[in-house]
Amino acid sequence: MKILYATFELAPFTKVGGLADVMGSLPKYIEDENTQIAIFTPLIGSIDTEKYEIKEIPNSKLSLNFGYAQYSFTLKMCKLPNTNINVFFIDNPKFFSCFNNVYPSGIDSWYEQERFITFSKAILEYARLLNFKPDIIHCNDWHTSMIPIWIKTSYKNDDFYKNTKTVFSIHNLAYQGRYFHEILDFAGINKDEVYHQYGVEHYGTMIWLKGALNYSDKIIAVSPKYAQEILTFEFGEGLDWTLNNNKNKLIGILNGIDYTEFNPKTDKLLINNYDESSLEKKEECKKDILKHFNLEYKKDRPLIAIISRLVEQKGIDLIKAVENELMNIDADIIILGTGEKRYEDFFTWISYNSKNIRARLEYSAQLCNKIYAGADMFLMPSRFEPCGLSQLIAMKYGTIPIVRATGGLDDTVIGYPNKNATGFKFYNYNAHEMLNCINETIYIYKDKEKWEKLMQNAIKSDFSWSKSAKEYKKIYKELV
């Protein structure tokens, strides 16, 4: 069986959110002696080609027509680190390598559409050029939504793809690729064939993601709870009718994490390694991360961490609503992340005007791991959360998550006071309910016996890819 993964971000080469981590990990657990894998991703300018030994494939120049213009591409490749899996990087200086950011801000919306359309079409043509005839093309989010549509329309009579099935993963339904139908001409898709409610049309505009839902052979949501939630008006982001119409091919599979990368026992970034039998060593990691954020270490004073994109989805408004209470809470709070300017400005202000809250407006993989290890608690008050990986990583590091019970957060965190509790949950999207949950967590933290039990439960939780990968394999085999 041949499986092609199409993704616009891929760890460790490029990373914005959980999509990169999933695509950098899942294929490792799918590959076996009966499965051949190829991963396609764009060559973003920030990728260190020397470090990863990325080489251009000879005679790989490809010219493709879009609208009234022709664009040229080249193909480079390397192995996914510590595997034998081929990663193919599609290069075009106009769309990909000219940027150091995967999703540059402030670009024209038509140009943004062009980036994803040209990338997705180049994948299909390069697979043909490489004679990699996929049994399955696994697409991710709206950036590659065009592929299932092409397979069922423009390529439906193409011998190379006649037996190819498409799987589409929803990592975040909120990002849909809505645009005007004129973009279909640029993509080379016949408007009459797809511009209807069972295709891409949506109340006078078009949505690429809607097309992927209608034309793919299988739809995967990244947690079972999220698969249920998106069928409702509240979480369906305007596509709940379409999702219900395709409910027979929708399944929720929980994301996993790669414990070879996230493990406090072996993590080389930590000042002190530890495991479930030496959790007392975690205190040195706490002292270390407090120094990074210019906060004073105080014994028995808890440290709450947030690592997040600073966007509405992540519940930042709840934090803003109780800022005065948090500035006077019996705990220190550290934040790492970037995002919307209004939220960045808020965290800058509160860092300068509080004694206990500090923010670093950046992304740093090194700091992330130090925070996971050094914090006592990890706050994720998301408005919605398809899966979430941060709470899984935090638990592995013995850091107790405080989460809103939605999507994958509800699936993965067992709330206190359950016997096997691994964290704390609040249920309504309400700032004071969140604050009460934080205060309860701080109260339990002072009971060292109960807190030790929570930490043991959390660090022993198993969210490795092994179980989830079996479910993916089952789907692939059924489709083939």
Side-chain angles (χ1 to χ4, degrees):
M1 181 165 57
K2 291 184 176 180
I3 302 173
L4 188 159
Y5 289 97
T7 176
F8 214 77
E9 49 182 289
L10 176 67
F13 310 103
T14 50
K15 176 176 165 60
V16 176
L19 168 59
D21 290 315
V22 172
M23 284 295 99
S25 301
L26 174 61
K28 299 176 186 178
Y29 295 85
I30 300 298
E31 185 190 35
D32 57 35
E33 64 275 8
N34 299 314
T35 307
Q36 190 176 348
I37 291 173
I39 306 174
F40 282 81
T41 196
L43 187 74
I44 303 301
S46 58
I47 295 175
D48 191 334
T49 55
E50 290 187 10
K51 176 182 177 181
Y52 297 110
E53 298 181 353
I54 299 171
K55 307 294 184 185
E56 185 170 330
I57 298 175
N59 303 315
S60 67
K61 185 176 180 181
L62 178 69
S63 295
L64 296 175
N65 294 321
F66 295 93
Y68 298 103
Q70 187 177 78
Y71 299 95
S72 294
F73 304 85
T74 55
L75 194 65
K76 299 180 180 180
M77 72 168 290
C78 72
K79 298 292 184 182
L80 189 66
N82 304 313
T83 74
N84 198 40
I85 296 171
N86 289 327
V87 177
F88 296 98
F89 297 88
I90 295 174
D91 187 17
N92 175 283
K94 177 180 178 180
F95 296 122
F96 314 131
S97 54
C98 57
F99 295 109
N100 286 328
N101 295 325
V102 179
Y103 310 115
S105 59
I107 63 172
D108 178 77
S109 55
W110 176 275
Y111 175 65
E112 180 185 48
Q113 292 276 326
E114 289 179 332
R115 294 184 77 218
F116 300 132
I117 292 168
T118 55
F119 169 66
S120 297
K121 187 64 171 286
I123 290 174
L124 293 176
E125 291 305 315
Y126 268 125
R128 188 200 306 276
L129 198 65
L130 295 167
N131 198 30
F132 186 88
K133 186 183 289 188
D135 298 293
I136 302 288
I137 301 180
H138 190 144
C139 306
N140 295 273
D141 278 350
W142 85 265
H143 327 120
T144 55
S145 290
M146 307 85 196
I147 292 175
I149 302 170
W150 276 319
I151 292 294
K152 290 288 174 66
T153 58
S154 308
Y155 287 79
K156 65 183 177 183
N157 296 319
D158 190 313
D159 283 344
F160 191 81
Y161 286 108
K162 66 180 181 181
N163 296 318
T164 298
K165 304 294 184 182
T166 56
V167 174
F168 183 74
S169 279
I170 305 170
H171 297 267
N172 193 328
L173 189 63
Y175 302 102
Q176 301 176 353
R178 183 190 296 264
Y179 205 69
F180 304 105
H181 64 76
E182 285 82 2
I183 199 68
L184 292 170
D185 291 331
F186 180 83
I189 297 174
N190 186 340
K191 177 185 172 184
D192 294 337
E193 197 169 359
V194 301
Y195 195 66
H196 49 78
Q197 65 176 334
Y198 297 104
V200 301
E201 188 271 335
H202 196 75
Y203 297 100
T205 62
M206 62 146 289
I207 294 178
W208 286 114
L209 191 141
K210 182 176 182 177
L213 299 177
N214 284 322
Y215 289 106
S216 60
D217 296 295
K218 199 73 176 180
I219 304 165
I220 297 176
V222 290
S223 72
K225 179 74 176 285
Y226 191 57
Q228 297 170 3
E229 288 177 339
I230 58 178
L231 296 173
T232 67
F233 176 79
E234 181 182 0
F235 293 98
E237 302 290 348
L239 294 177
D240 48 294
W241 184 88
T242 299
L243 282 156
N244 277 282
N245 199 48
N246 288 284
K247 188 164 62 173
N248 63 315
K249 59 184 182 182
L250 171 65
I251 186 172
I253 302 178
L254 193 66
N255 280 342
I257 58 173
D258 188 348
Y259 286 133
T260 62
E261 181 180 355
F262 298 109
N263 190 333
K265 188 175 182 178
T266 57
D267 193 333
K268 295 178 181 178
L269 295 171
L270 306 188
I271 195 169
N272 227 2
N273 291 111
Y274 61 91
D275 58 18
E276 64 268 20
S277 63
S278 57
L279 283 169
E280 69 280 356
K281 294 182 179 179
K282 185 172 161 63
E283 202 70 8
E284 292 303 313
C285 297
K286 181 176 179 177
K287 293 176 183 177
D288 181 50
I289 197 60
L290 284 168
K291 287 180 185 176
H292 280 277
F293 283 83
N294 294 316
L295 287 167
E296 181 185 351
Y297 171 77
K298 296 177 183 177
K299 187 173 173 60
D300 297 328
R301 181 176 172 86
L303 176 61
I304 303 171
I306 300 169
I307 301 174
S308 177
R309 286 182 295 114
L310 305 181
V311 294
E312 182 188 358
Q313 174 207 336
K314 299 299 183 178
I316 310 300
D317 289 323
L318 298 189
I319 296 169
K320 289 182 69 178
V322 290
E323 62 183 74
N324 290 325
E325 291 90 337
L326 292 176
M327 289 165 69
N328 294 287
I329 205 166
D330 186 20
D332 293 314
I333 303 173
I334 57 175
I335 301 103
L336 180 71
T338 61
E340 294 180 30
K341 187 177 186 300
R342 56 180 173 144
Y343 295 134
E344 290 189 353
D345 289 346
F346 163 69
F347 282 119
T348 299
W349 177 88
I350 205 168
S351 292
Y352 280 108
N353 290 277
S354 66
K355 294 179 179 179
N356 66 322
I357 303 174
R358 297 290 183 270
R360 295 278 291 267
L361 302 178
E362 60 177 289
Y363 174 76
S364 165
Q366 290 76 18
L367 265 186
C368 280
N369 286 32
K370 287 178 177 289
I371 291 171
Y372 286 126
D376 298 297
M377 305 154 193
F378 195 90
L379 179 61
M380 294 182 71
S382 303
R383 185 170 68 84
F384 66 92
E385 194 64 61
C387 179
L389 297 178
S390 293
Q391 81 279 11
L392 307 183
I393 301 168
M395 284 190 278
K396 184 61 181 176
Y397 283 74
T399 299
I400 304 305
I402 305 168
V403 304
R404 177 167 179 252
T406 183
L409 299 177
D410 198 23
D411 281 330
T412 56
V413 177
I414 303 171
Y416 183 86
N418 285 294
K419 181 181 178 182
N420 299 316
T422 57
F424 293 78
K425 295 180 181 181
F426 65 99
Y427 288 83
N428 295 307
Y429 192 69
N430 178 280
H432 284 91
E433 191 171 324
M434 176 194 73
L435 185 64
N436 290 338
C437 190
I438 293 172
N439 283 323
E440 180 190 11
T441 308
I442 293 171
Y443 178 78
I444 298 301
Y445 172 81
K446 297 182 185 304
D447 186 324
K448 294 307 176 187
E449 187 176 334
K450 289 181 179 178
W451 194 257
E452 174 78 16
K453 175 63 174 172
L454 276 165
M455 292 174 70
Q456 289 288 347
N457 289 345
I459 202 169
K460 290 176 182 176
S461 299
D462 183 7
F463 294 102
S464 62
W465 271 110
S466 302
K467 181 181 178 182
S468 298
K470 289 178 183 177
E471 296 185 60
Y472 278 99
K473 284 184 176 182
K474 181 180 177 183
I475 287 170
Y476 296 154
K477 290 176 181 176
E478 287 174 353
L479 287 175
V480 171

